[in-house]
Amino acid sequence: MTINIYLAGPEVFLPNATEVANQKKALCRLYGFEGLFPLDNELDLTNLSPQQSGLLIASSNEAMIARADAIIANMTPFRGTSCDVGTAYEMGLARGMGKPVFAYSNDERLFLARNLAELPATRRLEEGHAVDADGMQLEDFGLIDNLMLDGAVSAPIVTQAPILPDQRFSELLGFERCLQQARAFFAR
Amino acid sequence: MTINIYLAGPEVFLPNATEVANQKKALCRLYGFEGLFPLDNELDLTNLSPQQSGLLIASSNEAMIARADAIIANMTPFRGTSCDVGTAYEMGLARGMGKPVFAYSNDERLFLARNLAELPATRRLEEGHAVDADGMQLEDFGLIDNLMLDGAVSAPIVTQAPILPDQRFSELLGFERCLQQARAFFAR
């Protein structure tokens, strides 16, 4: 019986998204899985408005996650200090459907350290906790990202700095470790 | 029978989070709902490590969403051009559990316009679409945020610029419109 794994992550926005998807799917097959990538959906968008197109892509991705047995999410910080929001949403969706979630990030810093390093005008208050420029608290739980994301996974989030900086979103060593986690999960 | 609504949003990080929570819960009662706010969970975190504390908060929030009949999410862009990732995750979780999702944003710009205005070094390619500094595509579907979030809602996302800029995360006019959407939804 085929075990399908939905491949969530911001690499859909890369110029070579299909190439990265094919690499991920080849790795899935090495581990005995079938990888489902968002761009696999062949949708006919002719005669649709931009909004209708976007919403059709969304519902097709949701249907793909419903068909999957698990999800592996690329949580590498995207356009800021947290994971891509589409990826975060899909982690939640899979979890709400009772499917195991595995995740990796090509950034090995903890969330607080990353926020302190990258957000403008952060500061520590006298009480000890740190806040951003708007005075909004920075999470300090020794976790990888927002606590809801750390709480979602069925095995520890794999973190590893990319070997080449320009492969921040396409480096797949962490992804392969997630495949190993998934193999152990489904062997139980 | 009480209808419970989970109140998701980055206002948990505000210095006056409890005050905003109380305002939201009072508005919920005006519309006949009971509001569930993440900080309502009274958790005993003594003797727990930071990581254990964070994960206990996460699982308590998940249990609260499981108990809720719907979710209203504050999608106001947070530390970047998208919604808070914890909020995005919770929208997905609720949706995966089959619960209706309502959402508002105190930013009335569309996603592409916001990305072009706020991300560094964006540019348009000859083919027409726009990319960020890493050459990664900017979504151009005339939607409010990442298409998965726009696809999640049971009624149109309410968008409205805040009346006072310093109330970007605490202004509740959009929230009240979501309560009206929820009332119409549950009246059906």
Side-chain angles (χ1 to χ4, degrees):
Chain A
M1 197 191 67
T2 308
I3 295 176
N4 293 306
I5 301 186
Y6 183 82
L7 308 175
E11 60 268 22
V12 291
F13 305 116
L14 285 169
N16 65 336
T18 304
E19 185 188 344
V20 176
N22 288 338
Q23 290 167 351
K24 283 190 147 182
K25 289 159 79 171
L27 280 169
C28 284
R29 281 190 292 274
L30 276 182
Y31 284 82
F33 299 122
E34 179 76 20
L36 307 179
F37 195 75
L39 304 179
D40 291 347
N41 280 316
E42 293 195 1
L43 303 173
D44 181 3
L45 304 177
T46 49
N47 301 322
L48 295 187
S49 71
Q51 289 86 353
Q52 288 171 327
S53 299
L55 297 176
L56 179 61
I57 296 169
S59 63
S60 303
N61 290 349
E62 292 211 351
M64 210 180 243
I65 292 169
R67 240 173 1 99
D69 301 290
I71 181 172
I72 297 180
N74 176 356
M75 283 179 56
T76 306
F78 180 66
R79 295 177 188 160
T81 61
S82 276
C83 163
D84 162 52
V85 286
T87 302
Y89 176 84
E90 292 176 340
M91 291 170 72
L93 187 73
R95 174 103 165 146
M97 291 175 173
K99 299 170 197 283
V101 175
F102 305 96
Y104 67 100
S105 171
N106 292 338
D107 186 310
E108 58 190 349
R109 294 170 293 176
L110 293 180
F111 194 31
L112 179 65
R114 197 163 63 238
N115 277 328
L116 290 173
E118 298 194 1
L119 292 179
T122 57
R123 62 189 195 279
R124 282 204 179 269
L125 301 185
E126 279 175 30
E127 310 89 277
H129 59 255
V131 296
D132 67 14
D134 295 320
M136 295 177 83
Q137 195 156 354
L138 302 179
E139 287 184 47
D140 184 12
F141 294 105
L143 298 175
I144 308 302
D145 202 323
N146 180 289
L147 57 82
M148 296 308 295
L149 304 182
D150 283 72
V153 289
S154 299
I157 299 170
V158 177
T159 62
Q160 184 169 296
I163 291 172
L164 298 172
D166 70 349
Q167 296 191 355
R168 182 171 170 72
F169 294 104
S170 51
E171 154 109 22
L172 296 179
L173 291 170
F175 175 70
E176 190 162 356
R177 293 213 12 228
C178 287
L179 287 170
Q180 292 163 357
Q181 291 178 335
R183 185 172 57 184
F185 180 92
F186 286 107
R188 282 201 297 265
Chain B
M1 195 192 65
T2 309
I3 296 175
N4 294 306
I5 300 187
Y6 183 82
L7 308 174
E11 60 267 24
V12 291
F13 303 116
L14 285 169
N16 65 336
T18 305
E19 185 188 346
V20 176
N22 288 338
Q23 290 167 350
K24 283 190 147 182
K25 288 159 80 170
L27 280 170
C28 284
R29 281 189 292 274
L30 276 182
Y31 283 82
F33 299 121
E34 179 75 20
L36 308 179
F37 195 75
L39 303 179
D40 291 346
N41 281 316
E42 295 195 1
L43 303 173
D44 181 3
L45 303 178
T46 48
N47 300 322
L48 296 187
S49 71
Q51 288 87 353
Q52 288 171 328
S53 298
L55 297 176
L56 179 61
I57 295 169
S59 63
S60 303
N61 290 349
E62 292 211 351
M64 208 181 244
I65 292 169
R67 235 168 12 95
D69 301 290
I71 180 172
I72 296 180
N74 177 356
M75 283 179 58
T76 306
F78 179 65
R79 297 179 188 159
T81 60
S82 277
C83 162
D84 162 51
V85 287
T87 302
Y89 176 84
E90 291 175 342
M91 291 170 72
L93 187 71
R95 174 102 167 147
M97 291 175 173
K99 299 171 195 284
V101 175
F102 305 97
Y104 68 99
S105 170
N106 293 338
D107 186 310
E108 58 189 350
R109 293 171 294 175
L110 293 180
F111 194 32
L112 179 65
R114 197 163 64 240
N115 277 328
L116 289 173
E118 299 195 0
L119 292 179
T122 57
R123 63 190 196 278
R124 283 206 178 268
L125 301 186
E126 279 175 29
E127 309 90 275
H129 59 257
V131 297
D132 69 11
D134 295 320
M136 294 177 83
Q137 195 157 351
L138 302 179
E139 287 185 46
D140 184 13
F141 294 105
L143 297 174
I144 308 303
D145 203 323
N146 179 289
L147 56 84
M148 296 308 295
L149 303 181
D150 283 72
V153 289
S154 299
I157 299 170
V158 177
T159 63
Q160 184 169 297
I163 292 171
L164 298 172
D166 69 349
Q167 295 190 356
R168 181 169 170 72
F169 293 104
S170 51
E171 153 111 21
L172 296 180
L173 291 170
F175 175 69
E176 189 161 358
R177 295 218 3 234
C178 287
L179 287 169
Q180 292 164 356
Q181 292 177 334
R183 184 170 59 184
F185 179 93
F186 286 107
R188 282 203 295 265

